[in-house]
Amino acid sequence: MRNFNLAKGQDLSTGFKDFFDTIGLTGGGLVTKGIAAVIAIIALRMLLQLSGDPKGALRKGSMAVGTLFVAVVLALYGDTLFSTVTEAKG
């Protein structure tokens, strides 16, 4: 029987820095994705709590869709956006 090796071995002896390097994220990128996930959950909760009033439902629904859009943009481009803020020129 063949030995299928799907992934090469990784040396994670120095801790979290090696782990974040293997998944392609920095600590700040991971925090940004976590914040985006929390905002997305809040937006989905807002969508589920729409009222029966059409005018109020339209207002709350559009606010929830806008919040979900912000969460998606933050998840996709948040590490790039915040990297420009944290890189100080010395």
Side-chain angles (χ1 to χ4, degrees):
M1 182 177 236
R2 290 186 185 181
N3 183 11
F4 290 108
N5 191 3
L6 296 177
K8 66 177 185 171
Q10 295 289 333
D11 179 26
L12 300 177
S13 60
T14 61
F16 285 115
K17 183 181 179 324
D18 285 337
F19 173 70
F20 290 140
D21 288 343
T22 59
I23 62 174
L25 283 176
T26 60
L30 190 63
V31 169
T32 304
K33 300 255 190 263
I35 291 170
V38 169
I39 292 173
I41 290 171
I42 291 170
L44 290 175
R45 186 170 183 252
M46 289 169 63
L47 278 173
L48 292 175
Q49 290 183 344
L50 294 178
S51 64
D53 176 34
K55 198 174 199 180
L58 183 62
R59 185 178 305 131
K60 287 182 180 180
S62 63
M63 189 180 301
V65 169
T67 306
L68 191 58
F69 176 74
V70 168
V72 168
V73 167
L74 186 62
L76 292 176
Y77 303 112
D79 53 347
T80 306
L81 291 171
F82 290 125
S83 71
T84 60
V85 175
T86 58
E87 290 178 8
K89 304 286 183 189

